[in-house]
Amino acid sequence: MSAHDELEAEKRDERAPLAPADREALSRVLGDAVAFDVPMARRTTLRIGGPADAVASPASAEALRDAIALCADRAIVVTPVGGGSNLLVKDRGVRGVVLSTRRLRGLERLGDSTVRVEAGVSTGKLLSSVTRWELGGLEFLGGVPGSVGGGLIMNAGTYLGEFVDVTREVVSVRLADGGVVRRSGPECGFGYRRSALPKTEIVASATCALWPRARADIEADVRGLRENRRAREPARVSNAGSTFKNPPGDHAGRLIEACGLKGTRVGGAECSSVHANWLVNVGGATARDMLALIELVRERVRAQAGVHLELEIKVIGE
Ligand SMILES: Cc1cc2nc3c(=O)[nH]c(=O)nc-3n(C[C@H](O)[C@H](O)[C@H](O)COP(=O)(O)OP(=O)(O)OC[C@H]3O[C@@H](n4cnc5c(N)ncnc54)[C@H](O)[C@@H]3O)c2cc1C
């Protein structure tokens, strides 16, 4: 994107704040499931981001549809957020309603080896439950934070697998009219850290097809994965995991390190000296710092290696 295009995109991002009448309507319909002027820095693992006009956290699929219907009626822009572990929220925050899935926590075993899970269930909770039920297939989630909804959008995964391997069906709700959409796994268009699930919908739940596996075997794989991660990932610093996707046939971390950028800082944002593809918040970083560091890294890698690094993290807000 050229600097001019970026400026135009930035302008398009600027929206009017939520009107007082919209705030009243949200309070009336959602009660204590809505909060106003919520600092998004508290809702993201990077600990960066200005206030959301409103954060709605419906506690059931029905309440989710009610919240969406209300926003559609009043033409309020909705932004879905899960665990906030792959998000950079800009400094002036998010206009409209951030729709948080964190209270959608239904999880049940259907039949022998299928599970149905709501979008807000954390990947950790899902993994511990299927381990107890002695169902294999989700070992890849060891050490991957966030929610199931965010994991499906991102097709999150590790060298042990990714959501595409186990997803049988995804149920979403259309933001325009609250209509329910069901897609089979292949219809979700999963690829490397992406899905084709439309931005005009919110993922409500999914069904995963797993297989019987001894608890000790599952735990051994997860332990191995966690140990491997501990050895190469920054700890005790605010982060969102890998910042860039790996380009075909290479590793973003290797390319960034080869440019001598490990340890480079802009304000409170740092290219981690432990893993160069983790741009971390060492304290007090703003989104402006992080975006400037992202651009610096991209420029240097483009100039030195001729490779364009695509963002893995999602940037929202204005
Ligand atoms: C320490 C650390 C380690 C990590 N390691 C890995 C790893 O090994 N592998 C990996 O793949 N990722 C990794 N990540 C990144 C992150 O954990 C995953 O991308 C995760 O799946 C994001 O889920 P989330 O719920 O936090 O999504 P969020 O960050 O909340 O959102 C991510 C995107 O999904 C959208 N979204 C979220 N929920 C929904 C929904 N229900 N419906 C529609 N859209 C939605 C958001 O709008 C946003 O665009 C790591 C992150 C951290 C902090």
Side-chain angles (χ1 to χ4, degrees), residues 45 80-87 101 119 143-147 149-151 153-154 156-158 193 201-203 229 239-241 278 312 314:
T45 56
V81 167
S85 65
N86 202 45
L87 272 188
T101 57
V144 180
S147 68
I153 292 291
M154 297 305 302
T158 56
R193 298 299 164 264
E201 297 174 11
I202 181 164
V203 172
R229 299 179 67 115
N239 70 78
W278 288 43
E312 178 169 325
K314 303 286 186 190

Side-chain angles (χ1 to χ4, degrees), residues 38-52 81 83-94 237-240 243 266-270 279-294 313-318:
V38 179
M40 288 301 289
R42 285 197 212 139
R43 305 275 183 137
T44 64
T45 56
L46 261 176
R47 300 278 176 258
I48 292 175
V81 167
S85 65
N86 202 45
L87 272 188
L88 173 59
V89 180
K90 291 192 187 172
D91 296 318
R92 276 185 291 143
V94 187
V237 63
S238 303
N239 70 78
T243 305
V266 176
E270 183 187 89
L279 304 194
V280 300
N281 174 8
V282 290
T286 60
R288 184 174 280 270
D289 294 340
M290 192 55 79
L291 289 166
L293 183 60
I294 286 170
I313 60 167
K314 303 286 186 190
V315 182
I316 63 169
E318 56 184 41

Side-chain angles (χ1 to χ4, degrees), residues 111-296:
D112 275 352
S113 46
T114 306
V115 295
R116 199 188 77 84
V117 57
E118 285 191 320
V121 172
S122 72
T123 47
K125 167 76 182 167
L126 175 61
L127 178 56
S128 63
S129 299
V130 298
T131 304
R132 211 172 48 249
W133 296 335
E134 301 209 291
L135 295 176
L138 288 165
E139 294 82 347
F140 68 86
L141 286 177
V144 180
S147 68
V148 167
L152 288 160
I153 292 291
M154 297 305 302
N155 186 24
T158 56
Y159 64 81
L160 286 183
E162 38 190 20
F163 269 99
V164 63
D165 304 330
V166 293
T167 305
R168 177 177 288 172
E169 185 185 62
V170 173
V171 179
S172 304
V173 180
R174 274 196 304 266
L175 298 176
D177 59 7
V180 173
V181 186
R182 292 175 184 276
R183 288 189 181 79
S184 68
E187 285 169 342
C188 296
F190 292 118
Y192 166 56
R193 298 299 164 264
R194 66 175 298 279
S195 68
L197 291 160
K199 285 192 174 152
T200 49
E201 297 174 11
I202 181 164
V203 172
S205 65
T207 309
C208 299
L210 308 176
W211 48 87
R213 195 171 185 220
R215 179 173 184 154
D217 294 341
I218 298 173
E219 286 173 344
D221 277 359
V222 173
R223 204 176 316 116
L225 175 59
R226 285 184 187 277
E227 277 164 16
N228 185 296
R229 299 179 67 115
R230 247 195 305 276
R232 60 186 178 87
E233 291 176 358
R236 289 181 293 279
V237 63
S238 303
N239 70 78
S242 296
T243 305
F244 300 100
K245 293 187 184 188
N246 287 324
D250 210 334
H251 286 95
R254 191 199 70 77
L255 289 162
I256 300 167
E257 190 172 349
C259 292
L261 289 168
K262 265 188 166 179
T264 302
R265 282 193 188 186
V266 176
E270 183 187 89
C271 179
S272 168
S273 46
V274 180
H275 192 311
N277 190 22
W278 288 43
L279 304 194
V280 300
N281 174 8
V282 290
T286 60
R288 184 174 280 270
D289 294 340
M290 192 55 79
L291 289 166
L293 183 60
I294 286 170
E295 271 325 296
L296 186 154

